[in-house]
Amino acid sequence: MTDPFMDHDAEGTGDTRVGPAVPTYEEAESRPRPPAEQPVPDDRAGTGAGPVVDPARFAERPSSRYGPRRLHARRAKRRRRLRTVVAVALALTMGPVAGAYVWADTQLRRDVDLAAHGGRPPEGRGINYLIVGSDSRDGLSTDEVRNLHVGGGGGRRTDSMILLHTGAHGTSMVSLPRDSWVTIPRHTDPDTGKTPPPTHDKLNASFSYGGPDLLVRTIEYNTGLRIDHYVEIGFAGFVGIVNAVGGVPMCLDHAVKDEKSGADFGRGCHLLDGTQALAFVRQRHQEAQGDLGRTRNQQKFLAALAHRAARPRTLLDPTEIIPALHAGLGSLIVDKGMSLHVLATMFRAVQGVSAGRGAQMNVPVSGVGITTPKGSVVKWDARKSVRLFDALRNDRPVPGPSGS
C-alpha cells in the first residue's frame, strides 16, 4: 500500500524522501533561477553582457550561508543596538528617580483631614488648592532664627495664603491677605473647650485659633468654594527647597531694603538663595500697598520656584531631585487625600502661570488699613469678590481687575 507521506520517483529507483522533495545542492545549482533571483552579469570588462553590479549594495565582509549580506541590514542592526543602549541608559537614569518619588510619597505629612467637618460647600468644577506659608520655626536652630530675621515667636501662624484654581480655563492664583476681615465660623476653642459663635476677625486668626482645619473652614465659609487639597510649608522647608534647586532667579524693577525681613536687593535681576528668598517674600514695608504688594511678590516668587524646580535637569538628575524632595518634606504638611502625583500636578499648574497660562491676582478689596477692634484690616469688595468666587466655583473665566 502506498504511503501518502512518501515521495516515489517516477522511474522506480527506490529513492524515497519524507515530505516534499528536497533537492540536493547540485540539483539546486543546476536548476534555472527565477528572473528576480538571477545574478546580474558584471560588465566592467566591457563584454556587453549586462550592467555592472553596484558593490555598495553588499557588505564588504564575506557572504553568509544565506547569500550576500546587504548594507541596509547592517545599518538596521546598528540602529537596534543604539536603541538598546538608549533604553538601558534611561533605565539607569530613571530608576533612582522613580525610587526617590516612591520614597517621597511615603514621607508626606498627611495631617489635615478636610472631610472631618460637615456643612461644607458642594463640590464645584475644577480643583481648588489652598497653599499656605506658615511662620513655623520647626527645624531652625537659634542661629538660623536670628540669621533669617524671623524672630523668636512661638506657635504657628499663616504668613501667606494663596487659593489656586485649575480647570478648563487654565490656572488662577488668588492671594488672600492675612489681615482680611472675615467671619470665623462656629468652632470649639482647643484651649478653653468653649464653642464661640461666628465672629469677625482677621483671616490668619482662624489659623491661630484652630490650625489648618479652622483656616480651611473659614475660607470655605467666606468664599463658598470647596477646598480640595491643602499644602503648607514652614520657614525651614522653604529655605531648604530654594537652596536645593540652586536658587531662584528674580528680577526687580526697584531696589528693596527692609530691616525687619533682612531684604536688601538692588534694582535688576538676582539669583536668590534660601535666606534671601525668605526675606523677599516676607518684606512688605517697601511696598506701596503694604500687604497687598507682598502677596503679589509671593505669587511671582512661587511661580518662579515652580519653574525652576520643574527643569529637566532637576527632575531627571537624582543628585538634584533627591535633595530637593528631602529639603521640602521636613516641613510640608498636606491633606490626607494628597499624593506626590497630585502635588506635582499642582506645581505644574503654578509653573503654567509663570509661562502666561493663567491669571494672578489679589482678592478684590474695598479698603486697606481699616481700623477695627482687632486692629488694622483689609476689607474685601463685596460685589467683586462674590463674582470672582462664583466664577471659580463654576470654572468660568475670572473677571478682570475692574470686576467686569
Side-chain angles (χ1 to χ4, degrees):
M1 183 174 180
T2 303
D3 188 343
F5 294 100
M6 303 297 290
D7 185 43
H8 301 266
D9 74 358
E11 298 180 1
T13 61
D15 180 18
T16 59
R17 285 172 284 196
V18 178
V22 180
T24 65
Y25 179 80
E26 291 79 7
E27 292 172 336
E29 287 296 310
S30 64
R31 290 181 180 181
R33 302 189 184 201
E37 295 290 328
Q38 291 181 2
V40 180
D42 190 337
D43 194 36
R44 282 176 290 185
T47 62
V52 178
V53 176
D54 183 6
R57 295 175 55 199
F58 301 95
E60 296 178 359
R61 58 188 292 186
S63 298
S64 71
R65 58 179 294 192
Y66 299 106
R69 185 181 296 274
R70 294 186 181 274
L71 183 60
H72 69 79
R74 293 172 58 197
R75 288 174 177 169
K77 187 173 182 180
R78 285 199 296 268
R79 286 196 294 269
R80 288 194 295 271
R81 287 175 179 172
L82 179 60
R83 286 195 294 268
T84 301
V85 170
V86 171
V88 171
L90 286 175
L92 292 175
T93 302
M94 297 303 294
V97 174
Y101 276 104
V102 171
W103 165 81
D105 189 75
T106 65
Q107 299 301 305
L108 288 175
R109 293 176 54 188
R110 299 177 174 90
D111 295 346
V112 181
D113 187 359
L114 297 176
H117 304 282
R120 303 182 66 198
E123 291 186 9
R125 299 177 180 177
I127 301 176
N128 298 314
Y129 303 85
L130 181 61
I131 304 173
V132 175
S134 76
D135 65 359
S136 171
R137 289 134 176 99
D138 291 348
L140 296 177
S141 66
T142 303
D143 289 341
E144 288 173 327
V145 168
R146 181 178 62 255
N147 294 334
L148 292 174
H149 296 267
V150 295
R156 175 168 141 228
R157 294 162 294 186
T158 53
D159 208 57
S160 63
M161 287 161 284
I162 296 177
L163 184 64
L164 181 75
H165 174 85
T166 62
H169 298 283
T171 302
S172 298
M173 292 176 64
V174 182
S175 285
L176 306 176
R178 63 180 187 175
D179 291 339
S180 297
W181 188 243
V182 296
T183 300
I184 298 179
R186 185 182 182 89
H187 63 281
T188 301
D189 190 314
D191 296 328
T192 65
K194 297 181 179 179
T195 305
T199 182
H200 283 90
D201 209 325
K202 295 181 179 181
L203 179 57
N204 66 344
S206 64
F207 192 86
S208 300
Y209 297 152
D213 293 338
L214 186 56
L215 174 64
V216 170
R217 289 183 58 208
T218 300
I219 291 176
E220 290 185 338
Y221 186 91
N222 288 270
T223 66
L225 293 171
R226 189 185 185 98
I227 303 300
D228 299 297
H229 291 291
Y230 177 91
V231 180
E232 177 193 335
I233 188 167
F235 287 158
F238 180 87
V239 172
I241 289 177
V242 173
N243 287 336
V245 299
V248 175
M250 187 62 54
C251 294
L252 309 177
D253 55 10
H254 63 275
V256 174
K257 186 175 179 63
D258 182 30
E259 293 183 1
K260 290 191 175 182
S261 70
D264 188 1
F265 312 110
R267 179 182 178 181
C269 295
H270 308 265
L271 182 64
L272 305 184
D273 63 20
T275 300
Q276 294 170 325
L278 184 61
F280 174 72
V281 299
R282 296 187 66 234
Q283 67 85 23
R284 62 173 175 171
H285 297 286
Q286 296 295 311
E287 300 297 329
Q289 291 186 298
D291 205 36
L292 295 181
R294 179 170 73 163
T295 56
R296 276 190 286 270
N297 287 338
Q298 291 168 346
Q299 287 190 8
K300 182 179 179 181
F301 184 86
L302 181 60
L305 174 60
H307 182 79
R308 183 81 166 178
R311 292 176 303 168
R313 174 182 172 184
T314 301
L315 293 177
L316 297 178
D317 188 346
T319 63
E320 292 202 24
I321 189 63
I322 293 177
L325 291 172
H326 182 74
L329 293 175
S331 65
L332 195 67
I333 298 174
V334 299
D335 64 276
K336 292 186 179 300
M338 179 64 76
S339 68
L340 201 64
H341 172 72
V342 174
L343 192 63
T345 301
M346 184 197 78
F347 272 98
R348 282 196 296 270
V350 174
Q351 182 192 14
V353 173
S354 68
R357 299 189 300 273
Q360 295 174 263
M361 67 192 75
N362 278 307
V363 62
V365 301
S366 59
V368 179
I370 307 299
T371 302
T372 71
K374 301 292 185 177
S376 179
V377 303
V378 174
K379 284 193 174 182
W380 296 355
D381 184 292
R383 181 179 63 85
K384 293 180 180 179
S385 62
V386 166
R387 294 188 64 181
L388 170 63
F389 298 135
D390 183 66
L392 295 177
R393 182 168 51 255
N394 293 285
D395 197 25
R396 296 196 303 264
V398 296
S402 64
S404 59

